[in-house]
């Protein structure tokens, strides 16, 4: 079996699964309780916060634990907009954001906020000059994802951060879900005010994530109650999941150089192998440094992407059609449409994503199966593919 859907979710490290189970059994106290069991649980939460903060080179107080990347993005956007709405009514995002950001902006638009959805170029990159032209004295928030979850394009986060330093009223929010644990992500060096991350994307448990929130920045909480997480996210902490997330964060951080080297090599092999199949076309930038090393995206024009997914499944190979949160949609990919891809290419996108554990042999096995599948399906394609 080859599981090539790491951008959807990753298998947890064995050490993480063991740690979560152990904490569930031994440390079930409520961190808010005054007795010994509560104090022990509170200490574990504090240690988890410190571990994650160290990987980002930030203060532990700048880490807010949440239940997912989606919750982190929502808290960042709604929390900032509601806190600073008196400063202005204009917010900016891109046309290729994850649904958790895009749909939140659409909701705010329906509530009366003026929203600019930045276009991207044919490689999927935001144009810096269009962002600069969109900024106004009324702009209070800019949201741009670090790595596109569907086709893997890296956005110019550092350049955007430098640009926004000239606009102190505009906060910079980054969806870092597909970047953390894979790329060198340092919020303070990049000028980021808010950054969302999710544990199951870096081999941690599901149902837990965190938000980096720059020191001194106040947000309106989404959840009220006991005042946990500095009042930003009330609710009893999920101690086993937090400890597991911290362990996954540390392991991913330590192994990141090896991850980058391995996945970059696999990407080269996979991209070339896909380009050698005339019916397929690779999406994104031709420049290697523009693309995340762990994601390859391509289209099979004239063929429904789910047909290819299920055909590969017969070879015990698992990939996805697009973002896992959108894979059931029949409409063309919003991301590929924004890149000005034709409909037959936008509706036939396929994503493969992988990790440090995968080998050159896995990539070669995948390519052999893909060639067989394309040869088998080619007679049924509605339109011949063009490179």
């Amino acid at each position: 079996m080859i599981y090539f859907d790491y951008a959807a979710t990753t298998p947890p490290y064995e050490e993480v699964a063991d740690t979560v189970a152990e904490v569930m059994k031994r440390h079930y106290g409520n961190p808010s309780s005054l007795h010994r069991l509560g104090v022990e649980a509170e200490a574990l939460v504090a240690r988890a916060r410190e571990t994650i903060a160290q990987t980002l080179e930030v203060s532990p107080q700048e880490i807010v634990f949440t239940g997912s990347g989606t919750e982190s993005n929502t808290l960042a956007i709604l929390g900032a907009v509601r806190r600073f709405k008196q400063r202005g009514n204009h917010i900016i995002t891109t046309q290729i954001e994850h649904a958790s950001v895009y749909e939140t902006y659409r909701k705010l638009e329906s509530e009366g906020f003026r929203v600019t959805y930045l276009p991207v170029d044919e490689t999927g990159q935001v144009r810096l000059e269009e962002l600069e032209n969109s900024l106004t004295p009324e702009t209070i928030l800019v949201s741009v994802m670090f790595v596109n979850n569907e086709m893997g394009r890296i956005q110019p986060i550092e350049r955007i951060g430098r640009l926004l330093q000239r606009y102190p009223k505009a906060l910079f929010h980054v969806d870092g879900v597909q970047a953390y644990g894979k790329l060198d992500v340092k919020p303070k060096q990049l000028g980021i005010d808010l950054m969302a991350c999710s544990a199951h994307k870096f081999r941690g448990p599901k149902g837990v994530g965190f938000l980096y929130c720059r020191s001194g920045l106040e947000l309106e909480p989404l959840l009220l109650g006991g005042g946990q997480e500095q009042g930003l996210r009330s609710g009893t902490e999920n101690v086993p999941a937090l400890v597991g997330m911290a362990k996954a964060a540390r392991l991913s951080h330590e192994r990141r150089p090896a991850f980058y080297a391995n996945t970059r090599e696999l990407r080269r092999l996979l991209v070339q192998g896909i380009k050698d199949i005339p019916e397929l076309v690779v999406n994104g930038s031709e420049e290697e440094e523009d693309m995340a090393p762990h994601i390859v995206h391509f289209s099979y024009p004239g063929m429904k992407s789910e047909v290819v997914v299920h055909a590969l499944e017969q070879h015990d190979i698992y990939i996805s059609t697009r973002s896992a949160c959108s894979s059931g949609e029949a409409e063309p990919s919003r991301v590929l449409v924004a890149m000005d891809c034709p409909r037959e290419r936008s509706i036939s996108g396929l994503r493969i994503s992988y990790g440090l554990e995968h080998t050159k042999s896995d990539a070669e096995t995948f390519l052999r199966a893909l060639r067989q599948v394309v040869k088998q399906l080619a007679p049924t394609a509605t339109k011949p593919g063009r490179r």
Side-chain angles (χ1 to χ4, degrees):
M1 190 266 277
I2 297 176
Y3 178 70
F4 265 0
D5 199 13
Y6 270 40
T9 194
T10 57
Y13 290 113
E14 264 193 56
E15 303 97 308
V16 168
D18 291 343
T19 297
V20 170
E22 183 183 352
V23 174
M24 284 186 74
K25 286 186 276 189
R26 295 183 53 194
H27 301 284
Y28 46 82
N30 187 323
S32 297
S33 295
L34 297 178
H35 51 64
R36 179 178 59 81
L37 294 181
V39 172
E40 288 175 356
E42 183 183 28
L44 289 176
V45 172
R47 199 177 309 156
R49 200 183 311 277
E50 289 171 4
T51 299
I52 290 173
Q54 286 170 1
T55 67
L56 293 170
E57 298 182 3
V58 302
S59 162
Q61 288 68 41
E62 295 177 304
I63 302 298
V64 180
F65 290 136
T66 67
S68 64
T70 290
E71 184 188 332
S72 298
N73 278 325
T74 306
L75 174 59
I77 299 167
L78 294 184
V81 164
R82 289 172 180 171
R83 175 65 181 82
F84 298 107
K85 60 186 177 185
Q86 77 283 0
R87 293 184 179 177
N89 191 47
H90 180 228
I91 52 181
I92 299 174
T93 189
T94 80
Q95 296 178 2
I96 62 166
E97 294 298 306
H98 183 269
S100 62
V101 173
Y102 190 78
E103 294 302 327
T104 304
Y105 267 75
R106 282 170 56 90
K107 172 68 174 168
L108 288 168
E109 187 175 23
S110 73
E111 293 176 2
F113 281 90
R114 190 165 67 82
V115 180
T116 298
Y117 299 96
L118 295 172
V120 294
D121 65 19
E122 68 281 2
T123 73
Q125 186 191 43
V126 172
R127 298 181 180 93
L128 212 62
E129 60 274 19
E130 295 207 42
L131 169 58
E132 187 162 15
N133 291 338
S134 301
L135 288 161
T136 78
E138 294 294 306
T139 306
I140 58 172
L141 181 66
V142 176
S143 295
V144 179
M145 65 198 328
F146 209 123
V147 170
N148 180 261
N149 56 301
E150 189 167 322
M151 39 76 69
R153 185 65 161 91
I154 300 172
Q155 299 301 326
I157 297 300
E158 186 171 9
R159 292 167 63 198
I160 294 173
R162 284 202 301 269
L163 169 65
L164 292 180
Q165 286 178 358
R166 306 206 305 264
Y167 299 84
K169 280 173 56 176
L171 297 173
F172 186 21
H173 159 236
V174 172
D175 176 354
V177 166
Q178 293 292 350
Y180 179 78
K182 286 101 174 171
L183 305 180
D184 187 18
V185 178
K186 299 290 187 299
K188 292 189 183 302
Q189 295 177 15
L190 298 170
I192 295 171
D193 296 302
L194 297 155
M195 186 175 76
C197 295
S198 176
H200 75 103
K201 305 293 189 180
F202 53 89
R203 305 199 63 187
K206 293 178 178 62
V208 63
F210 67 88
L211 174 68
Y212 162 74
C213 180
R214 174 178 54 76
S215 178
L217 174 57
E218 295 181 1
L219 301 177
E220 286 285 326
L222 304 183
L223 302 177
L224 303 176
Q228 288 89 345
E229 296 304 302
Q230 304 171 66
L232 284 174
R233 206 261 187 180
S234 290
T236 302
E237 296 91 339
N238 185 345
V239 180
L242 295 179
V243 174
M245 175 168 67
K247 186 147 201 161
R250 180 177 60 77
L251 292 171
S252 295
H253 184 67
E254 292 171 352
R255 299 171 186 181
R256 190 171 55 78
F259 172 92
Y260 189 88
N262 185 60
T263 53
R264 180 61 76 198
E265 191 62 33
L266 290 180
R267 192 174 197 283
R268 287 179 190 140
L269 180 63
L270 289 163
V271 167
Q272 188 56 56
I274 292 167
K275 283 182 174 178
D276 289 342
I277 302 174
E279 289 85 354
L280 308 181
V281 56
V282 176
N283 298 311
S285 173
E286 288 285 333
E287 300 299 324
E288 188 175 272
E289 62 271 19
D290 290 344
M291 305 300 295
H294 61 292
I295 298 175
V296 176
H297 193 270
F298 62 99
S299 294
Y300 185 174
M303 181 58 58
K304 288 183 178 178
S305 50
E306 60 264 34
V307 175
V308 180
V309 169
H310 292 310
L312 284 169
E313 197 174 341
Q314 298 305 308
H315 294 259
D316 214 14
I317 294 173
Y318 302 87
I319 69 169
S320 69
T321 56
R322 60 174 85 171
S323 160
C325 300
S326 309
S327 57
E329 298 174 6
E331 292 300 309
S333 156
R334 171 165 51 81
V335 174
L336 295 184
V337 169
M339 292 164 58
D340 205 24
C341 292
R343 179 180 171 84
E344 64 269 18
R345 189 167 151 188
S346 300
I347 207 166
S348 61
L350 294 152
R351 180 184 69 186
I352 50 180
S353 48
Y354 37 88
L356 176 59
E357 310 69 45
H358 291 108
T359 64
K360 184 179 174 184
S361 174
D362 292 329
E364 289 170 342
T365 300
F366 166 77
L367 289 170
R368 278 197 300 275
L370 184 62
R371 284 192 288 269
Q372 288 180 34
V373 164
V374 171
K375 185 177 179 181
Q376 171 195 340
L377 295 177
T380 66
T382 56
K383 187 176 180 179
R386 289 288 183 270
R387 197 176 285 267

